Amino acid sequence: MNKKIYQTLKSAETEDWLDYHVVRPICYYCARGFASLHIHPNMVTVLSMFFGAGSCVFFVHGSWYYEGVSGLMANVIAIILLLVADILDCTDGQLARMTGQKSHLGRILDGIAGFVWFTPIYLALVIRFYHHHSLEFGLFGISDTSQNVLIATLVVFFLGLYSGVVGLAGQQRLADYYIQVHLFFLKGEKGSELDASGRQQEIYDQMSWKGHLLEKAFQYSYIGYTKMQESATPQLQRLLKTLHEKYGNAAAIPPAIREKLHSSSLSLMPWNGLLTFNFRSFWLFLFCLIDVPVCNFLFEIIAMGLLTLYVNRRHEAFCRRIADQL
């Protein structure tokens, strides 16, 4: 990776192999194109939402088994649209760092982009199951009656709801938080976007509704977002509070302690990276292409849930250990 591309990254340590070697270089050249057209990073984020959410129109179709070549092509188009959405979502941050157009609203929009994509996609997968379910029914020996279809679709709907709200949303929210925490350990306050719910509440309280209706609504949702990050990481909150009380700010933390924090966090970054887009989307694409998208809900709830628990437990363990030492 050349120096110009590297300078637009938050940190190479928080990027997985695919992002670092493939996605980020592509996003860099996209960012240069947007910069030449004087397009604001927030507009790129909004554009990513349209591509991501728009993919649901094609994900609703069965793949080869149910709809033949046309179904397979619909799913391939859906995958391409979601990949474009991810590239745009990565581009907005590189564009912001390239042009110095970073903003608080941009941070909020970036945090909710994935949820805007996957809400209609998951609903599309439930509708898809309603129309195409003979593989699952055949596997479990279920008769294809209207009553059984209705009951099974309701079960899949609640699986999708749990998978989206508790699984996808919770897992990505925690993964994003750990990335910002790692950047805080690595670069301090100025090098991270580690947002505290208390500070976000202050911003909301000081913001006028007049002329800021949409931004204030986004800010309100972001307060809840940060509170959920903090509630999932009590030992991290204890550690951050201890560091603040003992040293005041990140710049005053002794090098030996900073290195201990950094190395402990760095060992978890590869695992944390599995909670982000690349790994989970591979399974979504695979399950859709082989016509069992309901398996994506189960994979997200079980496999990704266990992975999230592992990352959270290990992160909390080293935070507890270092806080006790301090």
Side-chain angles (χ1 to χ4, degrees):
M1 179 178 288
N2 68 48
K3 186 177 180 181
K4 288 183 178 180
I5 300 175
Y6 185 84
Q7 289 173 340
T8 64
L9 304 182
K10 293 177 183 177
S11 166
E13 293 181 354
T14 58
E15 304 288 343
D16 64 23
W17 186 92
L18 184 63
D19 276 338
Y20 186 81
H21 292 283
V22 180
V23 178
R24 290 301 183 176
I26 293 173
C27 294
Y28 170 77
Y29 291 105
C30 290
R32 285 184 58 180
F34 285 123
S36 68
L37 296 172
H38 306 289
I39 296 175
H40 195 277
N42 291 352
M43 290 303 299
V44 179
T45 309
V46 172
L47 187 61
S48 81
M49 294 179 186
F50 279 103
F51 274 93
S55 67
C56 75
V57 176
F58 299 94
F59 272 123
V60 78
H61 288 275
S63 189
W64 176 268
Y65 180 82
Y66 291 111
E67 298 186 23
V69 174
S70 63
L72 177 62
M73 291 308 299
N75 279 261
V76 170
I77 292 170
I79 290 170
I80 291 172
L81 288 175
L82 194 51
L83 290 175
V84 170
D86 179 59
I87 288 172
L88 291 171
D89 188 48
C90 293
T91 297
D92 60 7
Q94 287 177 256
L95 176 61
R97 287 183 285 275
M98 181 188 296
T99 60
Q101 293 179 297
K102 292 191 289 185
S103 66
H104 185 66
L105 178 59
R107 167 67 179 145
I108 296 173
L109 288 174
D110 193 54
I112 67 172
F115 309 141
V116 174
W117 305 345
F118 284 102
T119 299
I121 290 173
Y122 281 20
L123 287 172
L125 296 184
V126 174
I127 296 171
R128 173 174 172 162
F129 176 82
Y130 176 78
H131 292 290
H132 304 297
H133 48 260
S134 61
L135 281 172
E136 292 87 346
F137 275 29
L139 178 64
F140 292 102
I142 300 173
S143 300
D144 194 357
T145 65
S146 58
Q147 184 178 21
N148 287 342
V149 170
L150 180 60
I151 293 171
T153 303
L154 285 172
V155 170
V156 171
F157 172 79
F158 284 110
L159 279 175
L161 184 64
Y162 187 88
S163 173
V165 175
V166 178
L168 172 71
Q171 293 159 10
Q172 291 202 320
R173 182 171 58 241
L174 191 64
D176 177 66
Y177 193 47
Y178 283 150
I179 288 172
Q180 299 308 325
V181 169
H182 183 76
L183 293 173
F184 173 77
F185 291 154
L186 179 64
K187 300 181 178 182
E189 286 95 342
K190 293 183 178 180
S192 73
E193 296 171 340
L194 187 59
D195 295 324
S197 61
R199 176 55 186 153
Q200 299 311 307
Q201 184 67 55
E202 290 175 4
I203 294 173
Y204 175 82
D205 293 339
Q206 295 167 5
M207 192 181 296
S208 170
W209 281 105
K210 187 177 181 180
H212 300 90
L213 180 63
L214 188 60
E215 186 175 358
K216 184 148 183 166
F218 279 130
Q219 181 63 27
Y220 181 79
S221 69
Y222 194 56
I223 293 169
Y225 182 87
T226 53
K227 282 183 177 179
M228 284 186 280
Q229 289 176 322
E230 291 165 356
S231 67
T233 55
Q235 293 303 320
L236 170 59
Q237 303 314 310
R238 174 177 167 238
L239 173 61
L240 293 174
K241 182 180 179 181
T242 302
L243 289 171
H244 179 73
E245 291 174 347
K246 196 172 181 69
Y247 303 110
N249 57 67
I253 298 174
I257 295 176
R258 181 188 291 276
E259 176 54 32
K260 185 181 294 184
L261 293 167
H262 171 253
S263 61
S264 299
S265 178
L266 182 61
S267 67
L268 284 175
M269 281 299 102
W271 294 104
N272 192 66
L274 296 178
L275 298 176
T276 55
F277 179 84
N278 292 338
F279 182 70
R280 71 170 64 247
S281 62
F282 167 80
W283 293 100
L284 170 65
F285 299 160
L286 176 63
F287 291 134
C288 285
L289 288 173
I290 64 175
D291 270 319
V292 284
V294 69
C295 289
N296 183 68
F297 297 151
L298 297 173
F299 175 80
E300 204 153 63
I301 293 169
I302 300 171
M304 297 298 284
L306 289 173
L307 176 60
T308 303
L309 182 63
Y310 172 75
V311 172
N312 180 243
R313 291 290 179 85
R314 278 194 57 185
H315 203 281
E316 287 287 278
F318 89 71
C319 288
R320 180 190 298 109
R321 183 176 66 254
I322 296 175
D324 288 344
Q325 291 171 358
L326 293 175

